[in-house]
């Protein structure tokens, strides 16, 4: 299923819009934590200022000889101070200055001698949200005379009004600061991060639309930060991907051609083998002498063609699961491999009338007879045939198939490790580097490099694994990991 090609989102859904909204929101959130303490502090300062004003009004009363002033002057002093009454305590004296119409009821007491941040925040919020005017009795010490205690009565509506005006000014200033800060942060992050990321995304979309176009490859810039490194790495990855696509395109074309050639070659060789078998009935001794060599070469060519065709046209193998013992599978593989590798004497002209002899190599099987597996018999037969035939073709005279030692076994009880060991010359370094790469890893002359690749693919299809455990001048060891029935 083809995936839909994506496009860059509109601005409203882009990172730029989200960045702007988040920046403004976060700055406003920070301003809220500044707003509440500011308003609470303004309330405390407002009350202290009225305490000082009340103290000055009380001093005017104290300056008179009989500590009596006209009612008009008393009202004017209290009105200028913005309070309803003031009580000043000096040693054993108490001076009282009040309006004649002063209400007798006090709704709330405020003690400024004990200051608490949490209390100040709570009282400030209470004043802002208070729906009715309350009479406050404020107790504190004036800043001009910290040794004396003074009390004032004041209406809360004036305080609430001034606090709201102050709050609006703080809020307006916060909005200006928020948008200004958000603009600066947005501009900086948009230039440093969002715009390069948008460009990078656009380049990636353009490359996906046509990955084989050289012009769609990202051009790295001079940035040495994470964005610059990402562009460099992405450019390298795109170059590697283009090289891989070009190589696969050439290999696909080559594989198609090789498949057609192998098919035609196999048909031609089949016809040639039929004709060669007739030559074996010739009365000419020299003709009959070369027939075995000719037949062997043709069989090898047919085998290579069939391997190439099989690998080229096969999808991942479909498994026909059955239950059987591993030893019966390996014994049948052994019998077939020994039969196919027998009769080497027919290649010699001197032994024209010698019957076909079995292979002189030895295949040892050291597997417990009770070891059961559930797998596709034919597929595993093919895989183990390749693993056992390869060392014999490379010059080995003995191959041993056995279980790995208990301490080397996989920790999971459902798996067993089967070792295929030989006494051949080992694998060359070139073959080890490309061990399971089709057509690349071949340790003998005339090999296709498909045997191990096909074997590993079949074993992986059974949720197993195939790996090279050891190799050297004394032989090689392959390890097959398969799920077994314990």
């Amino acid at each position: 299923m083809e995936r839909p090609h994506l496009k860059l989102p509109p601005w409203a859904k882009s990172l730029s819009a989200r960045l702007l909204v988040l920046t403004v929101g976060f700055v406003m959130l920070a301003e809220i934590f500044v707003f509440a303490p500011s308003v609470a502090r303004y309330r405390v300062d407002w009350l202290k200022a009225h305490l000082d004003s009340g103290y000055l009004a009380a001093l005017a009363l104290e300056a008179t000889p009989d500590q009596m002033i006209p009612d008009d002057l008393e009202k004017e002093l209290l009105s200028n101070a913005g309070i309803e009454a003031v009580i000043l305590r000096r040693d054993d004296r108490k001076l009282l200055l009040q309006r004649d119409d002063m209400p007798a009821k006090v709704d709330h007491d405020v003690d400024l001698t004990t200051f608490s941040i949490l209390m100040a925040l709570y009282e400030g919020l209470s004043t802002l949200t208070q729906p009715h005017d309350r009479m406050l009795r404020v107790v504190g010490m004036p800043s001009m005379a910290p040794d004396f205690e003074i009390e004032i009565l004041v209406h809360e509506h004036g305080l609430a009004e001034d606090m709201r005006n102050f709050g609006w000014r703080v809020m307006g200033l916060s909005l200006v600061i928020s948008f200004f800060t958000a603009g600066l942060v947005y501009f900086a992050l948009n230039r440093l991060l969002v715009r390069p990321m948008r460009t990078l995304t656009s380049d990636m979309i353009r490359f996906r639309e046509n990955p084989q176009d050289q012009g769609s490859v990202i051009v790295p810039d001079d940035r040495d930060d994470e964005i610059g490194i990402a562009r460099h790495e992405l450019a390298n990855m795109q170059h590697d991907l283009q090289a891989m696509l070009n190589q696969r395109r050439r290999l696909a074309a080559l594989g198609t051609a090789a498949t057609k050639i192998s098919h035609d070659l196999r048909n031609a060789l089949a016809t040639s083998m039929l004709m060669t078998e007739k030559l074996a009935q010739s009365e000419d001794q020299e003709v009959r002498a070369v027939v075995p060599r000719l037949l062997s070469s043709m069989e090898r060519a047919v085998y290579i063609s069939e391997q190439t065709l099989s690998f080229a046209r096969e999808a991942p193998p479909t498994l026909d699961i059955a239950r059987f013992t591993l030893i019966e599978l390996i014994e049948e593989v052994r019998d077939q491999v020994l039969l196919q590798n027998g009769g080497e004497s027919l290649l010699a002209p001197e032994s024209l009338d010698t019957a076909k002899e079995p292979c002189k190599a030895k295949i040892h099987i050291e597997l417990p007879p009770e070891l059961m597996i559930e797998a596709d018999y034919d597929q595993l037969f093919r895989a183990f045939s390749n693993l056992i035939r390869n060392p014999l073709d490379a010059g080995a005279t003995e191959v041993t198939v056995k279980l790995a030692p208990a301490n080397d076994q996989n920790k999971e009880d459902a798996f067993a490790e089967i070792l295929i060991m030989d006494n051949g010359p080992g694998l060359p370094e070139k073959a080890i580097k490309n061990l399971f790469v089709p057509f690349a890893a071949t340790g003998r002359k005339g090999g296709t490099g498909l045997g191990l690749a096909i074997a590993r693919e079949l074993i992986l299809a059974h949720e197993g694994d195939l790996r090279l455990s050891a190799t050297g001048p004394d032989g090689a060891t392959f390890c097959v990991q398969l799920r077994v029935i314990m």
Side-chain angles (χ1 to χ4, degrees):
M1 182 178 179
E2 185 178 358
R3 297 178 181 177
H5 286 261
L6 303 178
K7 296 182 179 180
L8 289 175
W11 187 88
K13 295 183 179 180
S14 65
L15 285 177
S16 300
R18 296 178 184 180
L19 177 63
L20 182 60
V21 172
L22 288 176
T23 305
V24 173
F26 289 153
V27 174
M28 286 299 299
L29 183 62
E31 289 294 336
I32 290 176
F33 292 102
V34 176
F35 173 81
S38 299
V39 172
R41 186 64 194 180
Y42 178 84
R43 176 178 179 275
V44 173
D45 292 340
W46 190 91
L47 293 175
K48 286 185 176 181
H50 282 68
L51 277 177
D52 292 339
S53 299
Y55 174 73
L56 293 176
L59 289 181
L61 177 64
E62 187 180 27
T64 60
D66 55 357
Q67 296 183 352
M68 296 291 292
I69 58 176
D71 293 341
D72 295 340
L73 179 59
E74 184 177 19
K75 292 181 180 179
E76 185 176 355
L77 289 173
L78 294 175
S79 178
N80 291 334
I83 58 179
E84 299 299 319
V86 57
I87 301 174
L88 176 62
R89 292 183 175 86
R90 282 180 177 268
D91 300 328
D92 56 348
R93 295 180 300 159
K94 182 173 73 171
L95 299 179
L96 174 62
L97 196 63
Q98 64 179 8
R99 299 185 185 218
D100 293 338
D101 56 350
M102 183 191 73
K105 181 182 178 183
V106 174
D107 299 307
H108 185 65
D109 292 327
V110 179
D111 188 358
L112 296 181
T113 59
T114 57
F115 178 79
S116 170
I117 295 178
L118 293 179
M119 183 59 67
L121 291 174
Y122 173 76
E123 294 284 351
L125 180 62
S126 176
T127 300
L128 284 176
T129 57
Q130 187 60 235
H132 306 293
D133 183 24
R134 296 186 301 179
M135 180 62 68
L136 302 180
R137 178 170 59 193
V138 183
V139 179
M141 297 179 181
S143 59
M144 294 171 286
D147 297 333
F148 299 98
E149 186 179 89
I150 188 173
E151 295 181 13
I152 62 172
L153 297 181
V154 61
H155 284 284
E156 192 178 28
H157 74 88
L159 172 60
E161 186 67 23
D162 289 346
M163 287 179 63
R164 293 189 185 97
N165 293 334
F166 175 79
W168 283 116
R169 291 195 300 270
V170 172
M171 183 63 69
L173 181 61
S174 299
L175 287 174
V176 173
I177 294 175
S178 298
F179 280 100
F180 181 73
T181 305
L184 292 178
V185 174
Y186 168 78
F187 176 78
L189 294 181
N190 187 65
R191 186 175 183 84
L192 291 175
L193 296 177
V194 178
R195 190 184 301 175
M197 287 297 297
R198 193 174 181 88
T199 303
L200 184 64
T201 305
S202 178
D203 293 340
M204 293 169 65
I205 293 175
R206 186 175 71 251
F207 179 81
R208 185 194 176 194
E209 291 175 351
N210 189 5
Q212 297 182 359
D213 183 14
Q214 291 289 341
S216 63
V217 177
I218 291 178
V219 179
D221 49 28
D222 297 331
R223 293 183 60 163
D224 55 357
D225 55 7
E226 289 81 357
I227 298 293
I229 294 175
R231 291 187 66 87
H232 277 280
E233 291 299 321
L234 188 57
N236 294 335
M237 185 181 68
Q238 289 178 344
H239 282 297
D240 294 341
L241 181 59
Q242 283 190 341
M244 183 180 67
L245 289 175
N246 292 333
Q247 182 183 18
R248 290 200 171 187
R249 188 173 64 252
R250 291 193 297 268
L251 288 176
L254 181 61
T256 302
T259 301
K260 293 180 180 179
I261 294 173
S262 297
H263 182 270
D264 296 339
L265 179 62
R266 186 184 62 173
N267 293 335
L269 288 173
T271 304
S272 301
M273 290 180 68
L274 293 175
M275 301 301 296
T276 304
E277 290 177 356
K278 292 184 178 181
L279 291 178
Q281 303 173 2
S282 174
E283 297 179 356
D284 191 334
Q285 293 278 339
E286 294 183 357
V287 173
R288 291 171 56 193
V290 298
V291 166
R293 290 176 179 269
L294 187 58
L295 282 175
S296 177
S297 299
M298 287 183 178
E299 288 177 356
R300 176 63 61 187
V302 170
Y303 172 76
I304 294 174
S305 298
E306 289 178 348
Q307 288 280 78
T308 304
L309 284 172
S310 176
F311 183 80
R313 66 169 172 256
E314 276 190 354
T318 301
L319 304 181
D320 183 12
I321 302 297
R323 178 175 292 191
F324 51 89
T325 60
L326 183 60
I327 193 170
E328 67 175 296
L329 171 69
I330 302 301
E331 285 177 347
E332 186 174 352
V333 171
R334 175 196 62 189
D335 296 341
Q336 187 185 73
V337 170
L338 290 178
L339 181 62
Q340 291 178 346
N341 285 269
E344 294 299 326
S345 58
L346 293 177
L347 299 179
E350 298 86 339
S351 57
L352 301 177
D353 300 323
T354 305
K356 187 171 183 179
E357 299 178 356
C359 178
K360 295 181 180 181
K362 296 181 179 180
I363 301 177
H364 305 284
I365 303 176
E366 302 175 7
L367 296 173
E370 69 277 3
L371 188 61
M372 298 285 296
I373 60 175
E374 283 188 348
D376 189 308
Y377 191 94
D378 294 333
Q379 299 287 13
L380 285 189
F381 185 93
R382 184 180 177 190
F384 279 102
S385 295
N386 282 325
L387 291 173
I388 295 176
R389 184 190 298 112
N390 283 346
L392 297 179
D393 292 341
T397 58
E398 290 189 8
V399 176
T400 302
V401 182
K402 66 178 185 178
L403 286 179
N407 56 345
D408 293 338
Q409 287 285 349
N410 192 286
K411 298 299 182 182
E412 298 182 23
D413 295 336
F415 285 89
E417 293 187 349
I418 302 97
L419 302 181
I420 297 95
M421 309 169 64
D422 66 76
N423 63 347
L427 295 173
E429 184 178 354
K430 180 180 179 181
I432 296 175
K433 292 181 179 179
N434 304 287
L435 194 58
F436 301 110
V437 179
F439 305 105
T442 174
R444 57 186 174 84
K445 185 177 180 180
T448 62
L450 286 174
L452 289 176
I454 293 175
R456 188 167 189 265
E457 181 181 358
L458 295 176
I459 293 173
L460 288 176
H462 287 80
E463 300 181 356
D465 193 18
L466 170 63
R467 67 180 185 273
L468 176 66
S469 295
T471 185
D474 297 330
T477 300
F478 281 88
C479 179
V480 178
Q481 186 182 55
L482 280 177
R483 188 182 295 275
V484 298
I485 302 174
M486 305 301 293

